[in-house]
Amino acid sequence: GAVVSQHPSWVICKSGTSVKIECRSLDFQATTMFWYRQFPKQSLMLMATSNEGSKATYEQGVEKDKFLINHASLTLSTLTVTSAHPEDSSFYICSARDGTSGKETQYFGPGTRLLVL
Amino acid sequence: LAKTTQPISMDSYEGQEVNITCSHNNIATNDYITWYQQFPSQGPRFIIQGYKTKVTNEVASLFIPADRKSSTLSLPRVSLSDTAVYYCLVGDMGDDKIIFGKGTRLHILP
């Protein structure tokens, strides 16, 4: 199946700093990418939908000025957590939609573990 | 987006066949049914996707009755490594987004 990568796989940062997470579709072009966060023992929660060349669409309750999303190319989307706080510590997962199969299947990255001290 | 209902958890033993059923009464004509597997601290992994009847791949089978209001993921001869959370998702994948339910926590015992 299609491969989606994320970088870094884990990051530790101090409170107040900003952290950038990259999501790449390695063998397909993705016009749409999605960002999720997941807390322990919980399901994935959609944060935003990222469309190449346009502004991201954020879910209700997600601060767009805090979670900056850029989808600059068909293979790369980035999530920047600005002025991170300990409550932002979570597992962040991206996905990319591969439309070539005709079924618009979503493939997920391995996730990024963020710990804010 | 069709809402899905799955059992919260299931236990089974190595070598057994495991069937996880998902209810999606409000499935729409254009909706596909997709199952993902997730291990701790990893992203969900695509298992199988189908629209109607039966789909089989090297990992699992997906059974979908004629009314498409439910579906069953079948894992043949499970092993300990199949212990994971399994998510059933329903939607027209061309939609802007898909929403995850709580999933089924499958625990395989030796």
Side-chain angles (χ1 to χ4, degrees):
Chain A
V3 179
V4 176
S5 70
Q6 281 184 241
H7 178 80
S9 56
W10 59 271
V11 58
I12 302 173
C13 70
K14 293 182 179 181
S15 184
T17 61
S18 294
V19 175
K20 179 185 285 189
I21 303 170
E22 292 185 350
C23 176
R24 294 182 185 272
S25 56
L26 298 185
D27 50 3
F28 66 98
Q29 293 184 327
T31 55
T32 305
M33 290 184 173
F34 305 86
W35 288 95
Y36 296 80
R37 63 189 296 181
Q38 186 176 33
F39 293 106
K41 302 292 186 182
Q42 295 187 22
S43 185
L44 284 77
M45 183 184 74
L46 180 66
M47 298 176 67
T49 302
S50 167
N51 291 296
E52 187 265 339
S54 63
K55 291 183 178 181
T57 302
Y58 291 82
E59 294 300 301
Q60 188 174 8
V62 178
E63 299 176 55
K64 63 179 181 180
D65 294 329
K66 180 170 184 62
F67 299 99
L68 301 179
I69 292 173
N70 181 271
H71 194 157
S73 76
L74 288 173
T75 59
L76 173 65
S77 176
T78 60
L79 168 68
T80 301
V81 182
T82 62
S83 187
H85 290 283
E87 57 265 30
D88 298 323
S89 298
S90 188
F91 191 52
Y92 292 86
I93 307 170
C94 73
S95 72
R97 190 160 65 201
D98 179 4
T100 57
S101 67
K103 298 177 183 177
E104 305 282 343
T105 303
Q106 278 197 24
Y107 294 95
F108 289 80
T112 297
R113 175 77 59 191
L114 171 63
L115 177 62
V116 185
L117 302 176
Chain B
L1 298 170
K3 182 179 178 180
T4 60
T5 302
Q6 305 174 231
I8 295 296
S9 65
M10 293 178 65
D11 289 342
S12 189
Y13 291 91
E14 279 193 292
Q16 299 293 309
E17 177 185 79
V18 172
N19 296 309
I20 305 174
T21 297
C22 178
S23 297
H24 29 81
N25 291 317
N26 297 321
I27 190 169
T29 302
N30 294 331
D31 288 345
Y32 279 86
I33 301 157
T34 310
W35 285 80
Y36 290 89
Q37 174 193 56
Q38 186 183 28
F39 297 113
S41 296
Q42 295 186 28
R45 181 176 77 102
F46 172 85
I47 299 175
I48 199 166
Q49 184 179 68
Y51 183 80
K52 62 180 180 180
T53 62
K54 177 183 176 181
V55 180
T56 297
N57 61 23
E58 63 277 7
V59 177
S61 294
L62 178 59
F63 299 92
I64 305 168
D67 65 5
R68 304 200 327 124
K69 293 183 182 299
S70 67
S71 60
T72 299
L73 173 71
S74 181
L75 304 173
R77 296 183 299 282
V78 294
S79 64
L80 296 176
S81 62
D82 292 315
T83 294
V85 179
Y86 292 80
Y87 294 98
C88 164
L89 299 170
V90 173
D92 178 349
M93 293 306 191
D95 287 350
D96 287 340
K97 60 188 180 184
I98 58 173
I99 304 297
F100 278 76
K102 297 184 184 299
T104 296
R105 192 170 296 274
L106 177 64
H107 187 203
I108 304 302
L109 303 167

